[in-house]
Amino acid sequence: YNFTDCDFEKIRKKYQEVIYQALNKYMNGVKSTEFNNYIYCEDPPDCLAKIDLITFYPTHGCTTLAKEIFAVRTNATLTLQCPGYSGTQINNTQAKKKRKKRQVTTNKCLEQVSHLMELWRRFSRIS
Amino acid sequence: ASGDAGQEPVLQVRIINFNFETVQVTWSPRRYSGTNLTFVYKLSSAEASRPCCNYIVHEGHTAGCLLEARKDEILCFSLGNGTDILFRKCEWISAYLKPSSPEQLSFRWHEDAVTVTCSDLPYKRLLYEIQYKSIFDTEWQSKEGETCNVTMQGLDSEKCYFFRARVKTLESSYGSDTYPSDWSKVTHQQRGELRDSCQGKKLFPKFIL
Amino acid sequence: GESGYAQNGDFDDAELDDYPFSCYSQLEVDGSQHLLSCTFDDPDVNSTNLEFEICGALLDVKCLTFNKMQEMYFIRTKKFLLIGDSEICAKLKGKKITCRKMNVVKIVKPEAPFDIRVIYREGANDFLVTFNTSHLQKKYVKELLHEVAYRQEKHENDWMHVNLSSTKLALLQRKLQPDAMYEIKIRSIPNHDYFEGFWSEWSPSFHFRTPEITGRMDP
């Protein structure tokens, strides 16, 4: 999906008002600068593409982000503000069960979410 | 900033991005004091790495590097003692931004309100904080705006007021490791005019009604 | 936007219009728990078999059913997505009879301010009014506009109003009558372009008396 036609201003507003709080809550005090690698995005569409990738596509060591509150809000935001974005169909009951079963947030997931925070921050600075 | 997550850093490194003009990286070696460490860096917009060309020297040894960095980009750098790389880090330089102080505050009074304006910095997601108090107030009162155009109501234009301003970053856009700008110099205003200072009797509140 | 529309055809239009309702939300009213309250606009509606349900823009679930206390229907939950519209419906015996599209972040009614204090500052010739609001500690609805209303008690409807965004205000002595009893109260409304909504209830009133005219006015 090409994020060029999204309404960046409305996405930024939703990020600042409700997604950021959920990301912060997930990190639970762990600072994103504590992870020694970084992630770059050039412009708003590039940032959103990388946010979409990390949020909704499982990686080795971290497969559960898509069900987190920040991800559900990201999904709702992109579905609302990006024409033609189909969004991830999260099975609600499965989401609740999965979130209950997740005991410990893996360090790999914390690293992934710290990347997400860097991408969202960059996105909000340039849009 | 510190080394790999979780491990005790060999070096205490501090980064300050002065208004996207100059970035200052300073280090204080815990185990390598007395060693001249070399600083090599690469900005994401640059083709290749380069050694520091503007060291900060302290007691005869390198203690920091000043480098030009004018864009919102990523700085990767390493510190070594000539044979080993002791520290390696990559960061968005915006994460350590210290905006410059507001200058030339201007005031527009209208009845019991005043609008303070100054020129906005060229980058976004900042908070312009104006603080004010009269000679009868014990503490500063704050008002913030996303641009340097902030209106404060409920003032008494008869009284003499102190004003000062600074710039802060939005945590959701820059993270929590930035620095507020220094405060602007204090300005005095009374009856809609600039004053050199605010002199006058100061009485403390007598009683709660 | 807000639009009311019937959901199914078992009722003719006249009946559908008999059940208009209004709702407001209070976010983080109890820790991170939110509150959504709805009532029928017509207090005389016989609400015995009537229920309310909200669907859409929810976390983990598709719909939630309201609880009922006298004529007020309410939900306490953490499951508001806070993004996008929900559909709130009045239901009679399980059938939707009136539905409205609402966005929980656009119908916010703040909690009333509290702890009003007035300090007379003789040297400053003013009355320093301070008050508190629970919204300073919230994550979402942090920015409010406060309306301070004050009047001389013997002048029933002669309210003066000041709007401000901080929680401290100086009332100038020269704008008040000497040796007079005053009443002051405060309410708040969201002051933001994402969270919008309605005025809160008024705070409890505070009463204070202005001193008689004594010494000369300080410059």
Side-chain angles (χ1 to χ4, degrees), chain B residues 166-177:
Chain B
R166 71 176 175 178
V167 188
K168 302 189 291 191
T169 58
L170 269 184
E171 188 167 322
S172 56
S173 295
Y174 290 87
S176 55
D177 290 324

Side-chain angles (χ1 to χ4, degrees), chain C residues 120-174:
Chain C
Y120 174 57
R121 303 193 303 183
E122 185 177 7
N125 300 320
D126 66 20
F127 297 82
L128 191 62
V129 179
T130 57
F131 57 94
N132 203 344
T133 168
S134 58
H135 286 259
L136 294 175
Q137 286 79 38
K138 295 187 191 296
K139 278 193 310 194
Y140 295 116
V141 187
K142 300 188 283 275
E143 291 166 38
L144 300 175
L145 183 70
H146 309 292
E147 178 185 12
V148 176
Y150 61 97
R151 68 172 176 182
Q152 212 177 325
E153 280 194 350
K154 63 183 180 187
H155 295 159
E156 200 64 34
N157 295 312
D158 188 11
W159 289 99
M160 276 78 74
H161 300 266
V162 179
N163 284 347
L164 70 160
S165 50
S166 70
T167 57
K168 185 187 276 191
L169 167 70
L171 294 178
L172 305 185
Q173 186 170 358
R174 60 176 181 270

Side-chain angles (χ1 to χ4, degrees), chain B residues 1-4 9-11 13 77-80 85-89:
Chain B
S2 58
D4 290 330
V10 298
L11 288 164
V13 176
F77 64 89
S78 66
L79 275 158
I85 297 287
L86 308 175
F87 186 91
R88 196 195 298 272
K89 189 75 179 170

Side-chain angles (χ1 to χ4, degrees), chain B residues 112 132 134 136-137 139 141-143 153-159 191 201 203 205-209, chain C residues 118-124 126-127 163-166 168-170 172 174-175 206 208-209 216 218-219:
Chain B
D112 60 359
Y132 60 97
S134 75
F136 302 100
D137 296 312
E139 301 151 1
Q141 259 209 111
S142 272
K143 186 86 184 283
Q153 299 108 339
L155 275 66
D156 179 2
S157 57
E158 291 297 316
K159 294 189 175 80
R191 296 195 189 93
K201 246 180 338 183
L203 292 174
K206 269 216 166 71
F207 44 83
I208 289 182
L209 299 165
Chain C
V118 179
I119 296 178
Y120 174 57
R121 303 193 303 183
E122 185 177 7
D126 66 20
F127 297 82
N163 284 347
L164 70 160
S165 50
S166 70
K168 185 187 276 191
L169 167 70
L172 305 185
R174 60 176 181 270
K175 294 192 176 176
F206 185 91
F208 64 99
R209 174 176 290 279
R216 55 182 174 72
D218 279 331

Side-chain angles (χ1 to χ4, degrees), chain A:
Chain A
Y1 179 84
N2 181 332
F3 290 86
T4 307
D5 296 332
C6 302
D7 186 327
F8 302 132
E9 174 61 9
K10 285 190 173 150
I11 293 172
R12 178 187 64 81
K13 185 62 69 178
K14 287 179 169 67
Y15 159 68
Q16 265 179 280
E17 298 308 329
V18 292
I19 296 173
Y20 169 68
Q21 287 77 357
L23 284 164
N24 243 3
K25 192 170 183 184
Y26 183 91
M27 290 300 281
N28 199 16
V30 175
K31 283 188 148 186
S32 59
T33 46
E34 282 180 29
F35 293 95
N36 193 17
N37 40 36
Y38 64 94
I39 192 159
Y40 182 84
C41 60
E42 179 62 30
D43 54 30
D46 181 34
C47 294
L48 292 179
K50 287 172 175 163
I51 286 167
D52 177 64
L53 193 63
I54 293 177
T55 305
F56 300 117
Y57 296 89
T59 56
H60 177 64
C62 179
T63 58
T64 59
L65 292 187
K67 290 125 187 138
E68 295 299 336
I69 293 178
F70 67 78
V72 180
R73 286 181 175 166
T74 302
N75 185 44
T77 298
L78 298 179
T79 303
L80 270 173
Q81 310 304 170
C82 296
Y85 178 81
S86 58
T88 308
Q89 302 313 320
I90 297 169
N91 171 329
N92 274 325
T93 39
Q94 180 202 3
K96 200 165 92 179
K97 240 186 284 144
K98 265 286 181 306
R99 235 191 349 263
K100 278 226 168 62
K101 218 178 69 186
R102 176 174 53 74
Q103 308 310 330
V104 170
T105 304
T106 66
N107 200 55
K108 183 61 181 170
C109 280
L110 283 173
E111 186 176 3
Q112 291 286 81
V113 176
S114 83
H115 285 165
L116 276 179
M117 292 193 86
E118 279 185 22
L119 290 167
W120 275 115
R121 285 193 199 122
R122 165 73 170 171
F123 171 81
S124 72
R125 292 194 301 269
I126 54 177
S127 55

